Amino acid sequence: MSPTVRRQNPIPVPARLVSGVTVSIPPSTTGSQPLTMAAADGPADGAAGGPRPVIEVAGLAKRYGEVEAVRGIDLTVRAGETFGFLGPNGAGKTTTIKILCTLANATSGSARVAGFDTATQRDAVRRNIGLVFQDTTLDGYLTAEQNLRFHAELYGVPKAAVLPRMRQVLDMVGLWDRKDSLVSTFSGGMQRRLEIARGLLHAPHVLFLDEPTVGLDPQTRSSIWAYINELKGREDITIFLTTHYMDEAEHCDRIAIIDHGQIVAIDTPEALKASIGKDRVQIQTADDQAAIAALAGTFGLDAAVHEGAVTFSVASGEQFVPRLFTELGIPIRSVSVSRPSLDDVFMSYTGKTIRDAEASGTDAMRQMAARFRGRR
Amino acid sequence: MIMVTDTAAPATESAIVESIRVAVPEHGLQHDLRAISIVWRRELIRFRTDRLRAVTALVQPILFLFILGTGLSSLARGSMPGNVDFKTFIYPGVLAMSVLFTAIFSAGSIVWDREFGFLREILVAPVSRASIVIGKCLGGATIATFQGIIFLALAGFAHVPYNPVLLLTLVGELLLLSFTLTAFGVMMAARITQFQAFMALTQMLVMPLFFLSGALYPLSGLPGWLTILTRIDPLTYVVGPMRHAVFSHLSLPTGAQHVLAPGLTWAGWAVPVWLSLGIVAVMGLAMMSIAIEQFRKTE
C-alpha cells in the first residue's frame, strides 16, 4: 500500500505525518559502539557524571605551510546536542570539520568523535558520522536513488535495510517521489536535502553539516532548517554544524565562535547574548561623522558605521533613545534599537561584525570559486 | 506552511520504518567486495547513460582505419607482402587505440569527481582505499573493453575474419590493456587536481604511446634509436600480441607474416607472447598499487 501523502508545496516542509517513529540503532556488537559504553581513557571533561561527550577536541591545530588555519581549539559536544561552529569565512571552520571527519590530519592536538580517535581509528569514526559538505558531493549523472545506493553499498548498510531506510530518509526530506530523477535536474535546495538524506542513510551518531544553507535563497534556507529541526526529533543524533549566518546559530543548543583559527567564546546562544548585556542602537543621521563625534563627546559612547548606519551599544536602549533626540544636536532620520543578537556577540568578542570580517577575509576568492563550482 | 494531508496512512508508514535496523558493520572482505562492486557499477551506469561519449570515442580509430588506412593502402598496394591490405595491417594497432582514450579518460573522472566534490563522498566512507581504486580500475577496464568490442565489430571492413578464437583472444588482450591504461590514469589522477591539466597531460602522452607502439608500421628493421623507443613503450607489448593473433588467423605465405608481424625482439631475442602480456599485467598492477598508496595519504 502506498502511503497517501499528497504534497502540494514544491518545497515541502516536513510534516508530522510519521511523528513518533524513531529509527532505533541497536548497540551493535560489530562496531558502532554505543556512546554510553565508549568509556576508554579517563573521565570525560565537560559533562561531569553524564555520558562521554560525542566530540572531544583538545589543543587541535592545523597548519598549511605558513598559514595557521586552526590554532589550538578545545571543545566538547554532548550526545544529542546541536552544536554550532560560527565564524567568518576563512576562520578555520571547514578545516576543523575536515579533521573531525578524518579528511585531514591535525598538525598537533587530538580529536575524538563518537569515542574514536580521528587520526588512528579512521574507519570507526567514518562509520559513525554522516556528512553534508558545503559544496555538493552528489553525482549529477546518477538518479537520487542511485546516489543513495552508492552510499549504502560503500558504507556496507545491511542489504535488507537499504530499501526501507532509503525510503525513510527520502520521505523525511520529501524527495521519495523524485527518487528516479537525475540529480542534475534538482534545484540547489533539493540537492542539499538529498545530501542530508544521504548523510543519514547509515544512521550515524553524529551528523556534520558544513554550511548547510550556504548559497541557498532565504525560503529554501528556512525549509532546510525545518528539516534539520525535524530530524532532531526523529533520530538519536548529535549535530555539529558550521555557519557564517548569525541568525542560524539560534537553532543551536550551544555555539562556539571562532575567529582566526581560535575559539573566542563558547556557550549557549542565550548565555552569550546575556553576556553582552547591552542593546544595539543604529541611527541614520544627516552627518554620520558629526554624530559619531557627538556620541563620544556627549555620552562617552564608542560608535562606528556598520551596515550604513551609526551603530553603538548601550544599556537599556529604549530609555536612552529620548535622550539621544534631545541631546545629540544632529538631526536623526531613523532609529532602531535591538536586543543583542549573535552578531553583537561576535562583534563584542572580535571587535568587528561578521561581514566586516569576511570583507577582509583572505580566502574570499577561494570561497567564491568553491561556490561557483558547487553550483555548476 | 505544512501542506500535507494526513489520512489513514500513518499505520502502514510507521510499520515500514520502525523495523529498520541500521548498524554499519566492521570492516571486512564482504564490505570491500560490495565497495568494489558499486564503484565498478557506477562506471557502467555512467557509460550507459553517456552514449555520446561512446560515439565520439569511435571517431578517432575510424579516421585512422578508414581514412588513413585507405589512403595509405593505395600507396602501399603492390608493395605489401602477400598482398595484405594496409587496413588489415594497422587494424590491431587501431583496435588498441580504440580503448586508449576511453580507459584513460575514465580514470580522469576521478579528477572530475574531485573538482565537483563527489570524490569526497567516496574518500570519507569507511572503506579501504584499495577497494575504491580497484573498483575504479576494473570499471574503466570494463567500459574501455566495451568500447573496443564496438570497434571489433568493424573487423570485417579490414578483412579480419570473425573467428571466435581470434575474437576472444583480442577481447582478452583489450581487457588487459584497458586495465593497465586505467591504472595508469588513476595513478596520474591521484596527483593531478585539475581536469584541464589532466586532459592536457594525457593528450600529450597518448599520441606518442600510440605512434611508438608499432601500430602503424612493423617493428623490424627500424633505426636503433626508434627500436629502443618502441621497446620502452608499454603499448608495444599489447599491439605485438594482438597483431600476432590477427595474422595467425590469416592464410598468408610465411614470408609475408614474417615481414609484417615479425614479433617482438629484445636485442635479437624473440619475446614470447605470454611474457609480453605479463609485462603489461605487472605494470598495471604496479601502477594500481602506487595509486592505492597515493589515495591513502591525507592532507
Side-chain angles (χ1 to χ4, degrees):
Chain A
M1 231 213 306
S2 66
T4 53
V5 187
R6 289 193 292 279
R7 299 188 189 280
Q8 294 155 1
N9 192 332
I11 305 166
V13 173
R16 283 270 161 205
L17 182 65
V18 286
S19 59
V21 175
T22 51
V23 184
S24 49
I25 301 153
S28 156
T29 50
T30 54
S32 46
Q33 230 171 319
L35 300 162
T36 43
M37 291 165 62
D41 29 286
D45 48 326
R52 190 193 175 99
V54 175
I55 300 174
E56 299 163 86
V57 173
L60 197 70
K62 176 70 177 174
R63 168 189 284 278
Y64 290 101
E66 290 292 289
V67 185
E68 279 185 285
V70 176
R71 334 177 171 202
I73 285 184
D74 299 280
L75 63 88
T76 57
V77 178
R78 291 184 284 270
E81 247 188 326
T82 299
F83 189 89
F85 217 43
L86 200 73
N89 290 326
K93 301 188 302 281
T94 298
T95 305
T96 307
I97 241 180
K98 275 169 101 174
I99 296 170
L100 293 181
C101 297
T102 76
L103 279 173
N105 287 324
T107 310
S108 63
S110 73
R112 293 180 80 82
V113 173
F116 300 104
D117 191 291
T118 55
T120 58
Q121 298 169 294
R122 288 190 173 190
D123 273 356
V125 171
R126 287 170 181 159
R127 271 199 300 278
N128 286 291
I129 61 173
L131 284 163
V132 177
F133 295 106
Q134 193 170 345
D135 308 321
T136 179
T137 60
L138 297 163
D139 185 342
Y141 294 96
L142 299 183
T143 65
E145 182 181 352
Q146 285 168 336
N147 267 285
L148 292 196
R149 270 203 188 277
F150 187 89
H151 187 88
E153 294 294 309
L154 225 46
Y155 279 73
V157 175
K159 284 208 161 86
V162 173
L163 194 67
R165 179 64 176 163
M166 190 150 72
R167 160 122 209 202
Q168 188 179 40
V169 294
L170 281 176
D171 266 337
M172 195 186 294
V173 297
L175 286 174
W176 174 252
D177 52 346
R178 293 297 304 273
K179 70 183 164 59
D180 297 320
S181 307
L182 283 184
V183 168
S184 55
T185 65
F186 282 14
S187 68
M190 286 164 76
Q191 293 195 0
R192 205 60 57 92
R193 273 151 56 199
L194 183 60
E195 294 213 53
I196 292 174
R198 187 181 64 182
L200 293 168
L201 191 63
H202 56 287
H205 287 304
V206 192
L207 182 65
F208 287 94
L209 301 165
D210 190 11
E211 303 273 359
T213 58
V214 79
L216 300 177
D217 62 77
Q219 194 201 352
T220 315
R221 270 176 61 188
S222 71
S223 89
I224 294 283
W225 272 107
Y227 287 113
I228 294 173
N229 289 328
E230 178 75 11
L231 147 79
K232 283 198 291 190
R234 289 217 202 138
E235 309 253 336
D236 177 20
I237 202 163
T238 306
I239 297 176
F240 185 103
L241 66 95
T242 70
T243 181
H244 66 284
Y245 294 125
M246 284 295 164
D247 49 330
E248 296 194 336
E250 308 273 359
H251 293 275
C252 302
D253 298 322
R254 282 196 307 143
I255 55 175
I257 293 177
I258 182 169
D259 190 35
H260 293 301
Q262 283 176 312
I263 291 180
V264 294
I266 181 164
D267 214 328
T268 63
E270 292 70 31
L272 285 173
K273 280 189 271 184
S275 73
I276 305 289
K278 290 179 175 175
D279 293 331
R280 175 195 240 209
V281 182
Q282 289 195 303
I283 56 174
Q284 304 267 357
T285 65
D287 184 346
D288 288 348
Q289 289 315 314
I292 289 169
L295 280 165
T298 316
F299 302 104
L301 289 169
D302 195 11
V305 176
H306 288 297
E307 293 149 27
V310 176
T311 306
F312 56 93
S313 295
V314 64
S316 310
E318 296 92 331
Q319 285 152 37
F320 177 75
V321 168
R323 282 185 65 202
L324 190 64
F325 275 90
T326 52
E327 296 173 34
L328 188 65
I330 291 159
I332 298 171
R333 285 203 299 270
S334 74
V335 179
S336 81
V337 179
S338 46
R339 292 272 166 229
S341 68
L342 285 169
D343 238 328
D344 302 311
V345 174
F346 186 83
M347 190 161 156
S348 84
Y349 280 102
T350 67
K352 56 197 182 245
T353 70
I354 201 155
R355 280 191 203 84
D356 295 341
E358 299 212 325
S360 65
T362 48
D363 66 348
M365 286 301 283
R366 187 193 64 82
Q367 198 69 28
M368 267 171 63
R371 263 183 238 173
F372 176 72
R373 270 189 283 131
R375 209 163 31 222
R376 238 190 277 192
Chain B
M1 176 165 56
I2 296 166
M3 289 235 191
V4 177
T5 44
D6 185 347
T7 51
T12 33
E13 183 90 7
S14 50
I16 299 169
V17 272
E18 261 177 324
S19 62
I20 300 167
R21 294 280 185 277
V22 178
V24 177
E26 194 88 54
H27 205 97
L29 181 66
Q30 183 82 24
H31 184 187
D32 279 339
L33 290 178
R34 279 179 81 183
I36 291 174
S37 157
I38 195 68
V39 173
W40 176 75
R41 288 209 310 264
R42 172 171 174 249
E43 294 297 308
L44 262 57
I45 292 171
R46 292 193 57 166
F47 182 69
R48 203 176 57 213
T49 52
D50 195 1
R51 299 225 170 81
L52 187 64
R53 185 168 67 161
V55 173
T56 51
L58 269 181
V59 171
Q60 206 151 16
I62 285 178
L63 280 178
F64 268 91
L65 185 65
F66 292 106
I67 308 301
L68 186 75
T70 310
L72 290 182
S73 55
S74 65
L75 187 69
R77 191 175 299 129
S79 63
M80 290 290 280
N83 267 338
V84 174
D85 190 335
F86 186 68
K87 289 204 287 292
T88 314
F89 175 74
I90 64 170
Y91 183 78
V94 180
L95 182 61
M97 175 194 217
S98 73
V99 304
L100 200 59
F101 286 99
T102 308
I104 292 185
F105 290 164
S106 86
S109 73
I110 288 181
V111 185
W112 188 261
D113 282 345
R114 183 184 284 122
E115 270 194 82
F116 287 104
F118 192 75
L119 189 67
R120 223 184 240 198
E121 149 79 358
I122 301 175
L123 290 184
V124 82
V127 67
S128 69
R129 310 296 95 167
S131 49
I132 296 167
V133 172
I134 293 171
K136 194 82 198 175
C137 289
L138 294 181
T142 311
I143 63 168
T145 305
F146 278 150
Q147 190 73 51
I149 289 171
I150 299 174
F151 192 71
L152 202 53
L154 305 176
F157 293 100
H159 316 296
V160 173
Y162 294 106
N163 175 304
V165 177
L166 172 61
L167 293 181
L168 278 177
T169 309
L170 289 178
V171 168
E173 284 165 349
L174 282 178
L175 192 60
L176 176 67
L177 172 64
S178 304
F179 169 78
T180 299
L181 288 170
T182 312
F184 169 71
V186 172
M187 185 182 75
M188 308 264 289
R191 277 304 175 85
I192 299 168
T193 53
Q194 285 176 318
F195 195 66
Q196 308 275 22
F198 181 85
M199 293 292 276
L201 201 66
T202 49
Q203 293 275 17
M204 193 190 79
L205 284 167
V206 159
M207 286 325 265
L209 279 179
F210 175 67
F211 281 122
L212 290 173
S213 69
L216 302 173
Y217 49 84
L219 288 176
S220 54
L222 298 172
W225 61 271
L226 188 53
T227 305
I228 291 167
L229 285 180
T230 55
R231 269 31 167 207
I232 56 177
D233 179 0
L235 203 55
T236 305
Y237 296 91
V238 180
V239 170
M242 281 171 72
R243 179 169 291 140
H244 173 81
V246 168
F247 275 77
S248 60
H249 283 86
L250 299 175
S251 41
L252 287 178
T254 29
Q257 180 157 350
H258 193 73
V259 174
L260 293 173
L264 204 55
T265 53
W266 284 339
W269 180 66
V271 183
V273 166
W274 65 265
L275 180 60
S276 195
L277 295 175
I279 289 169
V280 178
V282 168
M283 282 181 71
L285 291 172
M287 289 190 288
M288 189 171 78
S289 309
I290 294 171
I292 291 169
E293 227 20 75
Q294 284 175 329
F295 276 105
R296 283 215 176 104
K297 287 188 195 127
T298 317
E299 75 178 37

